[in-house]
Amino acid sequence: METCNSNQQPRLGTRTEFTSSLIPQAAGASTSKADGSADATPANGDNARPNGKEVTVTNGAPAASQSPPREAPHIDVLRRPVRSRTLPSFSNANGGDGQDDRSPRTSPANRRLDCSPAYAPRFQVGAVRSTSKSLGPPPPGGPPRVGHSASPPHSPPPTNRFGGAATPLSPPHLSPPTWQGELNFGVSPAAAAEVPGLPGFSRYHGPTPGGEPTTPGSPRRTPPRLPSGAVGGSPRTSRSDARTPAAALTPGASPAGSSTRRSRLNSALGGNNRSSSRIDPEQVPRPVGQVEPVKEEGGKRYETTRYHVPPPATAVATIIDRGSTSCEFMRCTVNQVPAYPSTANTAHIPVAVICQPFAELTKYEDPVSLIDFGESGPLRCPRCKAYVNPHFTWVNQGKESNCNFCGHRFEVPSEYYCPVDDKGRRRDKDDRPELLRGTVDYIAPSDYSDTLPGVPAVVLVIEATQQSVRAGLLPQVLWTLRSLLNFMERPASRIALITFDHALHFYAFYPNVEGSRWVTVSDIEDPFVPCSSSALCIDALDDAYRSQVETLCGELSEFFEETTSEQACGGAALKVATELLASCGGGHVIMFQSSLPNMGIGALKARDDLRLAREGEGGQQQLFLPQQAPFFDTLIADCLQHGVAVSTFACPPVGMFIDITSLSALPRRTGGELFYFPGFDSAVDGERLHYELSRLVTQNAVYSCVFKIRCSKGLTVESMLATWEPEVIDPSTFNVSRLSVDASVDFVLSHSERIEWQKHVYLQVACLHTDRCGRRLIRVHTLQLPVTSSLSNVFRYTEIDAVTNVLIKQAAMAAMAGNTNFKERMTKSCVDMLHAYRVNCASMTSAGQLILPESLKLLPLCMSSIRKMPAFRAGTEIRADEKMAALIRVLGLPMPLTAPLIYPRVYTMYPLPERAGNPTGVGDNVHMPPTLACSSDKMALDRIYLVDTGYNLRLYIRDEVSMETLEDVFGVSTVEEVPAALAVPEELPEAGERILAVVWQIRRERSRLPWQPLSVVPSGSPEESKLLATICEDRVAGEMNYVDFLCHVHKMVQNKTD
C-alpha cells in the first residue's frame, strides 16, 4: 500500500477508502497503512472529512465488495488483476459507430424504419443482458427478443457476460380476467346514424359506421345518415342559431332480447318497461375513424389570433405566434371567458389554464426570441409588475403606456420611448419581438437573483447491489451513458458518477492520467463528499477526461459482477449527490434503484402494502405517507435552495415493494421525474430505460425556477395542480429546482368581479430560470382570450382535452390526499356540466334524449375511462407502488398525452387497408389505418391490432391468427418468433414493413414526447391482462362499461332536471 496525497498522480484501478475511527471496527480490521506508518492523508484536504477519518489506497482493481458484518462498516479491499472489457458496439442516429462528432440535432430528416430519435443513440438489442430472464433466452440463431411475447422452448442456458449461467426467473402468474362485454345487439336501420366529426382528439375526425365486425368475416354494417346531431330515432329539435350544436342520444328500436337488460336500459333512459327503447352501442360518441394525412410538412398552419379553438394537442400542426402565445405553451379550458361570475357558476365548466412553459417547438416554428435590455431589464408595469407585451397601448404620442392587466397608465422610460403613428402603433413595433410575439425570453439583470448562475451538471447515482447487476440495471445504465457522450453538447456536458451498495463509491478524474480514482466511503450514517467537486464533476467531452469516462463505463460492470452485497444505502447516496451538486452550482441527480434502501441515513423499512391496502381507507392512507419525512424534508429544502433536482428510476424485481411514495418525495417536490419499471429486466425494459435516460440528460430543461402567473382584472388564481406545491399564501407562485420540456401545471381560476366591460382577458406567465448554458433568463408567455356573456358560447368554445386534464388532476390530488369519494365528485362534475347545457341551451328537446354539447360529447367517455385507470382503482388489485407511480404520472400529465392515455387508439394491423403504411408523398409520412372503438367486442379473433396508449405501443396478436398470416406478415411461422423478426426490419415482408411504417409514423408525430417502445403481446401471455385492462370501453375493475355508464349519467341528468 502507499500513502495518497495531493502530489501523487492517481492511477487506473486505485481505490481510496474512507472509514470512521469512531465506529467500532471488526476484529483484525485496520485502517492504517500496511507498513505500520502513520495514517494517510485524504486525496484532497479541502473537502475530505477532518478528524477521525482515515484513508487507505490500494493498487490494483478490487473485486466486487463483500457485505461486511454489521459492526464493521469499513470495506475489505480484495486484490485481483484488472480485466479489461470491450463494451458492445453502438451507433448513433446518423448511423455511425459511436465516435461520430456530428450533433444529433443536425441529423437528416429521412430516417430508416429502425432508427432512433434525434436526442439519443440507437438502442442495440442485446447489447446488455441481465442474468435473470423473464421471457427466456432468444431463439437459437436469432437476435435477442424484443418486448414481451409468449415464452418459447428454452435452449441450453447461455453463459452471461458476468461469468455465470443465466438463471431464468419465471414471471408471476397473471390470469387474464374474464371480461364481460356488451351484448351484441343488432342495429335498426331507422335508429342508426353516423356520428359526426368528433372534436378534441387530435386527427380523429372522420365518421365511422361502428368499427370492426365482431364475428370474423361478417359484413360491415353501413347505417344510413340521419340529420346532423341526431343519433337515434328522431332528429334534434330545431332551436335558435345561437344554440350550441349538440349530439342527442335517443331510444331506438331494438330486436328481441333480454327483458332484464331492456328494462334496465329503459329505466336508465327514463322510459318504462313496456318500451323496447335503448341506446344503440354502435352510435355513441367515440374518437374513432379514418386518420387524415397531413397535406404539408409540419401539418396545417394556425395563427394564434385567428382560431376560436386551438387545434388538438395531439394534432400535427405548426403554430404561428401573432401576439398571443402558442397553444403549445398555454391552453384554457374555455376559449371564451364568461363575463359574469354567475355564468361561470351556471356552466360548471372549470375555468382553468394549462401551462407547459418550456414545451419543445417543431423545426417549422420560429424559435423563441432572446432579448437583452442590460441591467435596466425589460419594461414592466410599476403597479402589477406585468411585463410589456403586444397588448400594451401607447398614448400621449408614445410617452405613456396603459397596462392591459391592471389598467394603470405610467410614463415610458426615455430609453424605451418611440413615437406612434396615427393608429397609436409604435413605429418600432416590427423591430421589437416583445411587441410582436406572445412568447419571449429576456436576459435577467443581475439583481433578479441572489447568486450568480452556474452551468447545471448531472450526477448519476447507480445501485451496484447483486440485484441490480443480476437484472442488468448497472450495465445498462453504463452502456447508455457511454453511448450518450456523442449526443451531449457543451457546456451542458458536466457529469459525475457515484455507485452504492452497502457503501458509497466515488470516481475522481484528473487530467493527463491513465484512469480514474475509485474512492469508497463506508460511513453511511454521516456521509460526505471525499474529493473536490472539480475532480468528481468533470466535462465528459473534454479530451483530458473523455477516455477515462469511457474506460470507467466499460470496467465498472466487471468490478461488480461477482458482488454478493444485498444491502443498499440509497439515502446516503442521495444525500452526498445533492451536496455535490449544491457545490457545483445546481443541476440534476438521477438515481437508479433496484432495491429498497435499507441501511444508512434515510433507510426505509419494508411495509406490507397488501395488508395495509386490505385495511381500507386507514391503511391506504399510510401507504401515501412517506417514511423518513424529516430526512426528505431537509433534503428538499436544500435542493430548492441550491437549484438541485432529483429524478428516480425505480427498477425493483418482480413482486418487490420499493416504496415509491418515499422515493418519489424528492422528484415530486424538486421538479424531477419518476420512472417505474416493476420486474425490471434489461432484456425487456432496456430499450425504454435507454431512451428515457437519453432524453432526460439531453433535453432543454431549465433549473432554479421562480414561476408566477398574472391575471387581468376580474380573474384570480384559486388553486394549482402539479406534482410540486405552490407558495403557502399565493397559489399563483411557486419555486422549483427544475422544469422539463414536459413539465405541466394547471391553474384553476375564479372570478373576483364582473368583467363585462372588457373585450378580452389576459393571462401572463413569467418564469425566472437558468438554462443549460448557465444563463439566467426570464421566459414570458402572454395569452389573450375573448370575453362573452353568452352561456352557449362558453359551451361552444370549450376544449374537451383541457377540461379532462384538469378533472383528472383534481381526482389525483384528492386520491393522494386520502379522499375516497373522488370518483363520485368527478362524475358529479360531468353531470353538472351536461345538466347545465340541457337546462339552459337545449330545454326544448324531448325528455327522453340525452343531449351532449358538441364540444363535450366525449366527456362521459373520458369520465368512464378515467374511473378504470390504475391510478384510481381501489383494493389490492393494484399494488401500492404501481398506484402511486400512476398518480404521479397523472399529476404531471402534459396536454399531448392526455387524450391517448385516457382513450387508447386501436388500429387494425392485419389486414391493413390498401393505402395504410404507404407513403403519402409529404416528407416521410405514411397513410394511417382507421382507428376502432377501444372495446374487446370490436377485436376479431383472427386479426392483429396495434394499441397506442401514448406511453407504449403493443402489437396484439389474437388467438386465431393463422400460421399463414404470420408467414405473410412477419416471415415467421410461430408467434414466439415475431419479436425477433421485428428486430430485423430489412428482412420483413412487405406487410411487416408497412406495420413498422405505421409504428414509426406514430413515433414521428410524437417525436417531442417520450419514446414509445413497441412490444408484442400474444393472446394467453401474462402481458395480455395488462393490455386488456387498458381497453377502456369494457367492464374493468368493477366499473361499468361505456354504454352502461352513459345510461347512468343520463339518468342522473334526468333526476337532476326533474
Side-chain angles (χ1 to χ4, degrees):
M1 293 187 181
E2 58 182 344
T3 303
C4 173
N5 56 58
S6 58
N7 295 325
Q8 289 179 315
Q9 294 295 332
R11 286 174 287 181
L12 176 65
T14 63
R15 176 170 174 172
T16 307
E17 177 186 345
F18 285 89
T19 64
S20 173
S21 61
L22 304 178
I23 302 177
Q25 305 291 323
S30 173
T31 57
S32 61
K33 294 186 294 184
D35 58 3
S37 60
D39 296 338
T41 303
N44 188 301
D46 296 335
N47 286 279
R49 180 66 62 89
N51 300 327
K53 305 295 176 182
E54 302 173 358
V55 57
T56 301
V57 178
T58 306
N59 287 334
S65 53
Q66 306 292 326
S67 300
R70 182 174 298 273
E71 66 275 12
H74 74 283
I75 298 177
D76 296 328
V77 181
L78 306 180
R79 303 172 182 80
R80 66 180 175 86
V82 178
R83 292 186 291 172
S84 62
R85 180 172 65 91
T86 303
L87 254 71
S89 62
F90 57 88
S91 59
N92 56 27
N94 299 318
D97 60 357
Q99 305 301 322
D100 192 351
D101 290 330
R102 289 178 293 175
S103 169
R105 306 187 190 283
T106 61
S107 59
N110 295 325
R111 290 183 269 171
R112 298 175 57 83
L113 292 177
D114 59 340
C115 66
S116 60
Y119 55 78
R122 176 184 171 187
F123 177 78
Q124 182 171 343
V125 180
V128 176
R129 260 181 223 169
S130 62
T131 56
S132 61
K133 300 294 184 185
S134 61
L135 297 178
R145 71 181 63 258
V146 180
H148 296 271
S149 67
S151 299
H154 285 241
S155 55
T159 301
N160 58 50
R161 67 177 66 246
F162 308 113
T167 305
L169 293 181
S170 301
H173 178 69
L174 297 175
S175 300
T178 302
W179 303 106
Q180 181 178 352
E182 308 162 19
L183 296 180
N184 192 21
F185 293 106
V187 180
S188 170
E194 293 183 356
V195 179
L198 304 177
F201 275 81
S202 183
R203 1 178 206 91
Y204 305 92
H205 298 297
T208 175
E212 289 293 320
T214 302
T215 305
S218 62
R220 180 187 295 274
R221 296 185 292 269
T222 307
R225 181 182 296 274
L226 289 188
S228 175
V231 183
S234 59
R236 188 181 62 218
T237 304
S238 298
R239 290 191 50 79
S240 167
D241 293 339
R243 189 188 123 187
T244 305
L249 297 177
T250 64
S254 64
S258 168
S259 60
T260 303
R261 167 84 173 185
R262 195 162 53 238
S263 174
R264 176 164 58 86
L265 286 171
N266 290 332
S267 175
L269 291 168
N272 54 56
N273 293 336
R274 291 176 296 177
S275 171
S276 61
S277 302
R278 67 176 182 85
I279 286 181
D280 184 357
E282 298 292 335
Q283 304 304 322
V284 294
R286 293 184 176 98
V288 297
Q290 180 61 53
V291 182
E292 294 296 330
V294 296
K295 305 298 183 183
E296 58 181 322
E297 287 277 12
K300 188 176 179 180
R301 300 170 68 85
Y302 294 87
E303 296 185 8
T304 58
T305 55
R306 292 194 176 183
Y307 51 68
H308 295 291
V309 177
T314 51
V316 179
T318 297
I319 311 299
I320 303 173
D321 187 345
R322 296 299 189 202
S324 182
T325 189
S326 169
C327 56
E328 295 176 307
F329 296 123
M330 294 178 70
R331 284 178 181 262
C332 196
T333 54
V334 291
N335 290 282
Q336 289 195 9
V337 180
Y340 304 98
S342 59
T343 306
N345 295 334
T346 300
H348 292 283
I349 299 174
V351 180
V353 59
I354 297 94
C355 302
Q356 192 176 340
F358 296 96
E360 286 186 308
L361 298 176
T362 68
K363 62 181 180 180
Y364 304 101
E365 297 169 330
D366 294 333
V368 178
S369 300
L370 179 61
I371 308 169
D372 187 7
F373 283 107
E375 288 302 312
S376 62
L379 179 66
R380 303 178 66 180
C381 172
R383 177 189 291 174
C384 68
K385 301 302 181 183
Y387 289 83
V388 63
N389 59 78
H391 311 290
F392 267 32
T393 56
W394 311 92
V395 295
N396 194 12
Q397 298 180 349
K399 298 178 181 179
E400 294 180 337
S401 179
N402 285 328
C403 174
N404 59 312
F405 281 85
C406 66
H408 177 61
R409 177 179 289 191
F410 61 94
E411 184 178 352
V412 177
S414 58
E415 62 271 16
Y416 201 79
Y417 167 75
C418 180
V420 297
D421 58 18
D422 55 351
K423 295 182 180 180
R425 296 176 73 253
R426 286 176 58 109
R427 298 187 183 276
D428 64 346
K429 181 175 182 178
D430 294 338
D431 299 326
R432 289 192 175 272
E434 72 274 17
L435 302 181
L436 284 176
R437 303 286 179 255
T439 298
V440 292
D441 281 338
Y442 297 104
I443 294 180
S446 58
D447 59 353
Y448 273 49
S449 302
D450 297 332
T451 59
L452 293 177
V455 177
V458 176
V459 176
L460 285 82
V461 186
I462 314 170
E463 182 178 323
T465 62
Q466 186 182 53
Q467 169 57 38
S468 175
V469 175
R470 183 170 60 236
L473 177 62
L474 175 66
Q476 178 64 68
V477 174
L478 293 173
W479 186 88
T480 297
L481 174 60
R482 184 187 176 191
S483 65
L484 198 59
L485 295 180
N486 287 328
F487 287 74
M488 293 182 177
E489 295 178 351
R490 284 179 169 171
S493 55
R494 292 197 304 158
I495 64 171
L497 186 63
I498 301 173
T499 58
F500 67 94
D501 41 23
H502 56 272
L504 303 175
H505 311 290
F506 297 82
Y507 305 93
F509 303 90
Y510 298 91
N512 304 320
V513 296
E514 183 181 358
S516 59
R517 170 178 290 156
W518 182 337
V519 184
T520 296
V521 175
S522 57
D523 186 355
I524 57 176
E525 294 295 340
D526 186 17
F528 58 97
V529 179
C531 305
S532 67
S533 59
S534 61
L536 296 174
C537 189
I538 49 90
D539 182 358
L541 300 185
D542 191 326
D543 293 338
Y545 302 110
R546 177 160 182 166
S547 61
Q548 298 182 45
V549 175
E550 291 179 341
T551 301
L552 181 64
C553 291
E555 294 182 343
L556 272 185
S557 294
E558 291 285 337
F559 291 157
F560 286 103
E561 69 179 9
E562 299 171 1
T563 183
T564 59
S565 176
E566 298 181 353
Q567 296 176 311
C569 57
L574 179 60
K575 185 175 185 297
V576 295
T578 56
E579 290 177 353
L580 173 61
L581 273 186
S583 65
C584 294
H588 196 185
V589 175
I590 305 178
M591 296 284 297
F592 299 88
Q593 296 178 268
S594 185
S595 56
L596 189 73
N598 55 7
M599 65 183 306
I601 188 173
L604 306 178
K605 297 180 180 179
R607 296 193 276 193
D608 190 347
D609 60 318
L610 294 177
R611 178 183 62 80
L612 291 174
R614 286 192 294 267
E615 291 180 0
E617 182 178 349
Q620 292 185 11
Q621 186 62 23
Q622 292 184 40
L623 292 173
F624 287 157
L625 295 176
Q627 302 183 60
Q628 296 283 2
F631 169 74
F632 287 115
D633 288 343
T634 301
L635 282 185
I636 289 169
D638 292 341
C639 288
L640 294 178
Q641 180 180 356
H642 297 99
V644 176
V646 177
S647 292
T648 298
F649 285 77
C651 309
V654 175
M656 174 180 283
F657 175 73
I658 200 172
D659 201 348
I660 291 294
T661 301
S662 300
L663 297 185
S664 65
L666 264 77
R668 285 184 56 197
R669 298 283 295 278
T670 62
E673 300 179 46
L674 174 70
F675 304 93
Y676 181 51
F677 295 80
F680 179 84
D681 184 349
S682 63
V684 176
D685 304 302
E687 177 189 4
R688 181 187 160 204
L689 184 144
H690 171 78
Y691 288 119
E692 294 282 18
L693 175 57
S694 299
R695 187 169 186 265
L696 199 64
V697 173
T698 60
Q699 67 175 260
N700 291 317
V702 298
Y703 296 85
S704 301
C705 305
V706 182
F707 190 100
K708 172 71 175 179
I709 183 171
R710 293 179 175 87
C711 308
S712 59
K713 272 189 174 181
L715 294 179
T716 184
V717 176
E718 181 180 303
S719 62
M720 188 190 83
L721 303 172
T723 57
W724 52 86
E725 297 179 355
E727 294 293 327
V728 176
I729 300 177
D730 185 4
S732 67
T733 302
F734 64 83
N735 298 338
V736 70
S737 297
R738 174 181 176 269
L739 286 175
S740 70
V741 295
D742 299 323
S744 174
V745 55
D746 296 8
F747 293 96
V748 180
L749 311 177
S750 62
H751 284 70
S752 58
E753 59 182 84
R754 298 165 60 172
I755 54 176
E756 74 275 9
W757 50 272
Q758 299 184 51
K759 186 177 180 180
H760 296 93
V761 296
Y762 302 93
L763 302 171
Q764 187 177 82
V765 161
C767 184
L768 177 66
H769 64 276
T770 302
D771 71 353
R772 299 178 70 219
C773 297
R775 300 174 298 182
R776 199 66 172 155
L777 306 178
I778 309 167
R779 172 153 293 190
V780 178
H781 302 289
T782 305
L783 176 65
Q784 179 191 55
L785 294 170
V787 175
T788 182
S789 58
S790 169
L791 184 61
S792 296
N793 283 345
V794 174
F795 279 100
R796 184 189 300 270
Y797 300 115
T798 294
E799 186 177 0
I800 178 66
D801 286 356
V803 172
T804 306
N805 188 277
V806 172
L807 292 179
I808 194 175
K809 290 182 179 180
Q810 288 177 335
M813 292 284 283
M816 296 178 72
N819 298 334
T820 57
N821 63 340
F822 59 88
K823 288 187 178 181
E824 287 70 25
R825 291 173 57 187
M826 187 170 54
T827 304
K828 182 179 182 300
S829 298
C830 173
V831 171
D832 288 343
M833 284 183 260
L834 300 182
H835 174 262
Y837 180 82
R838 174 63 180 266
V839 171
N840 297 283
C841 303
S843 58
M844 298 298 293
T845 54
S846 170
Q849 288 181 313
L850 171 60
I851 305 299
L852 302 175
E854 183 71 17
S855 61
L856 296 176
K857 65 165 64 176
L858 297 176
L859 186 60
L861 174 60
C862 294
M863 297 301 101
S864 173
S865 178
I866 290 173
R867 293 172 65 98
K868 303 168 188 175
M869 294 175 66
F872 304 114
R873 296 184 195 173
T876 59
E877 182 182 354
I878 300 296
R879 296 290 294 267
D881 282 344
E882 183 179 355
K883 186 171 184 177
M884 191 66 184
L887 285 171
I888 294 172
R889 170 181 285 183
V890 165
L891 271 179
L893 188 64
M895 280 294 299
L897 288 175
T898 301
L901 179 65
I902 292 176
Y903 193 86
R905 309 297 189 246
V906 181
Y907 303 90
T908 300
M909 293 288 102
Y910 174 83
L912 274 173
E914 181 179 356
R915 295 198 306 170
N918 291 322
T920 65
V922 178
D924 297 329
N925 297 298
V926 299
H927 290 280
M928 294 291 290
T931 58
L932 309 178
C934 190
S935 169
S936 58
D937 286 347
K938 305 300 179 184
M939 297 184 182
L941 296 178
D942 61 345
R943 300 192 176 184
I944 301 173
Y945 297 94
L946 181 68
V947 181
D948 170 20
T949 65
Y951 286 95
N952 52 55
L953 297 166
R954 293 186 175 106
L955 195 64
Y956 187 24
I957 302 178
R958 298 284 279 167
D959 296 11
E960 298 179 7
V961 174
S962 64
M963 183 184 303
E964 291 76 12
T965 299
L966 295 177
E967 186 70 36
D968 293 342
V969 177
F970 304 108
V972 297
S973 57
T974 63
V975 175
E976 291 77 13
E977 298 174 282
V978 172
L982 291 174
V984 190
E986 296 84 357
E987 300 178 5
L988 284 173
E990 180 186 357
E993 290 183 352
R994 291 169 63 194
I995 289 177
L996 279 187
V998 170
V999 169
W1000 271 100
Q1001 178 67 23
I1002 296 173
R1003 288 172 171 170
R1004 188 179 299 112
E1005 292 177 358
R1006 298 179 186 162
S1007 59
R1008 294 175 290 169
L1009 298 173
W1011 174 261
Q1012 291 182 266
L1014 174 67
S1015 57
V1016 177
V1017 181
S1019 291
S1021 66
E1023 281 298 304
E1024 185 184 26
S1025 61
K1026 296 181 181 179
L1027 183 146
L1028 293 178
T1030 66
I1031 306 302
C1032 59
E1033 288 198 26
D1034 289 353
R1035 181 180 176 87
V1036 177
E1039 295 289 341
M1040 293 178 281
N1041 62 41
Y1042 171 37
V1043 175
D1044 287 348
F1045 182 78
L1046 191 61
C1047 295
H1048 174 66
V1049 168
H1050 178 45
K1051 183 176 181 179
M1052 294 180 69
V1053 172
Q1054 276 197 319
N1055 291 341
K1056 191 168 183 178
T1057 303
D1058 297 339

